Amino acid sequence: MSTTATQPQASDTTAPTGRVMRTARKRKNRKFNPWGVVAWIAAIGFFFPVFWMVLTAFKQEADAYSDPPKFFFTPTLDQFRAVFETGVGTALLNSAFATIVSTVLVLLLGVPAAFALSLRPVKKTKDVLFFFISTKMLPIVAAIIPLYVIVANVGLLDNIWALIILYTAMNLPIAVWMMRSFFLEVPGELLEAASMDGASLWTAVRELILPLVSPGIAATALICVIFSWNEFFFAVNLTAVQAQTIPVFLVGFITGEGLYWARLSAAATMAALPVVLAGWLAQNKLVRGLSFGAIK
């Protein structure tokens, strides 16, 4: 009887304590944090140019040039119609084809290379890694003349395959270095255990290693997509009409008559939309990939 009498008293004392602790946590969370305000100001500052570009895309040219700028206006799709009439579809298809094919080639070449330099290291690994990264040290402008001569001699001027080859070579060193860091976070004992169970190297890589590093592969692929989609220097020097990409297409709105701000904003919005959608669709794997191995 004495035991049953004391139990309600214990529960009565712990319940108010729990409520007090929860209330204290809520008050602590509501406490003013100046760094949060700084973060919001920085985020708005970075996002405002994108917001203004999208807003200007729905204006008439007169509203886009108004001083002071107009925040309230009648939206229109005239600028998007005008961009489609100028042939943006071909440029978008060229950019999409060059970006997708070059990214696939980078992954097909970079993932095995990164695996060989991490879980199955080869001789003089440091020399190989330095060779990979040294290819990024040469300024592109210093190599454009010999590249132009080579492309012209093999008949690939104004050909999308020239850009695919160059984009693959441009992104491959970055992909190898990124993927190697992801592979290094995978315990090497996994391969040893799979080998002892009778699994071949390819089976172990396919069934064990690749699923573990899939966030890193997604992050690497997205980085390659962004770099290839936004690349301008090779495209403007090695293409003309047939292989014109979207960055080169945007330059066409800069004419001797001046800038068409609203139409240029509409074209830039259409050019940025595929990359934004790709990042949004892969955001979960991208966050996991970029933070892979950050917490042991």
Side-chain angles (χ1 to χ4, degrees), residues 121-175:
V122 297
K123 292 182 179 179
K124 297 185 178 180
T125 298
K126 292 184 179 180
D127 296 339
V128 175
L129 287 172
F130 177 76
F131 170 76
F132 273 117
I133 204 63
S134 66
T135 60
K136 301 296 295 180
M137 298 177 185
L138 179 67
I140 298 178
V141 67
I144 190 60
I145 293 179
L147 284 174
Y148 184 90
V149 173
I150 293 171
V151 171
N153 287 336
V154 297
L156 289 179
L157 278 180
D158 200 15
N159 190 310
I160 197 64
W161 285 102
L163 295 182
I164 290 173
I165 295 171
L166 291 173
Y167 291 173
T168 302
M170 175 183 71
N171 291 326
L172 188 57
I174 301 172

Side-chain angles (χ1 to χ4, degrees), residues 47-289:
F47 178 73
F48 184 78
V50 179
F51 167 75
W52 191 253
M53 177 188 72
V54 176
L55 196 67
T56 306
F58 292 93
K59 294 180 178 180
Q60 297 289 355
E61 289 294 342
D63 295 330
Y65 274 99
S66 63
D67 188 16
K70 284 187 178 180
F71 285 90
F72 301 99
F73 57 92
T74 303
T76 178
L77 296 175
D78 292 344
Q79 307 306 328
F80 290 95
R81 295 191 191 97
V83 171
F84 273 109
E85 291 174 358
T86 56
V88 68
T90 303
L92 286 172
L93 288 175
N94 286 336
S95 287
F97 184 73
T99 298
I100 293 172
V101 175
S102 64
T103 301
V104 171
L105 290 176
V106 166
L107 293 179
L108 289 176
L109 297 173
V111 171
F115 176 80
L117 294 172
S118 54
L119 295 180
R120 280 289 186 265
V122 297
K123 292 182 179 179
K124 297 185 178 180
T125 298
K126 292 184 179 180
D127 296 339
V128 175
L129 287 172
F130 177 76
F131 170 76
F132 273 117
I133 204 63
S134 66
T135 60
K136 301 296 295 180
M137 298 177 185
L138 179 67
I140 298 178
V141 67
I144 190 60
I145 293 179
L147 284 174
Y148 184 90
V149 173
I150 293 171
V151 171
N153 287 336
V154 297
L156 289 179
L157 278 180
D158 200 15
N159 190 310
I160 197 64
W161 285 102
L163 295 182
I164 290 173
I165 295 171
L166 291 173
Y167 291 173
T168 302
M170 175 183 71
N171 291 326
L172 188 57
I174 301 172
V176 171
W177 274 78
M178 287 186 64
M179 286 306 306
R180 180 176 179 270
S181 64
F182 297 135
F183 277 121
L184 287 175
E185 299 298 332
V186 178
E189 291 78 6
L190 286 177
L191 286 176
E192 296 177 3
S195 164
M196 292 177 62
D197 290 338
S200 63
L201 179 61
W202 169 242
T203 302
V205 171
R206 188 181 70 249
E207 300 293 337
L208 293 176
I209 306 301
L210 289 183
L212 288 175
V213 299
S214 60
I217 295 175
T220 304
L222 188 59
I223 294 293
C224 294
V225 165
I226 293 173
F227 286 169
S228 299
W229 187 270
N230 294 332
E231 200 283 323
F232 174 76
F233 192 76
F234 285 143
V236 76
N237 286 283
L238 301 177
T239 66
V241 178
Q242 296 180 359
Q244 185 184 63
T245 59
I246 195 66
V248 180
F249 176 82
L250 294 178
V251 178
F253 291 96
I254 304 175
T255 64
E257 301 172 359
L259 288 175
Y260 294 91
W261 287 111
R263 194 173 300 179
L264 179 60
S265 297
T269 301
M270 294 172 61
L273 190 59
V275 177
V276 173
L277 288 176
W280 180 73
L281 292 174
Q283 60 180 333
N284 292 333
K285 286 189 176 295
L286 178 63
V287 173
R288 288 176 58 198

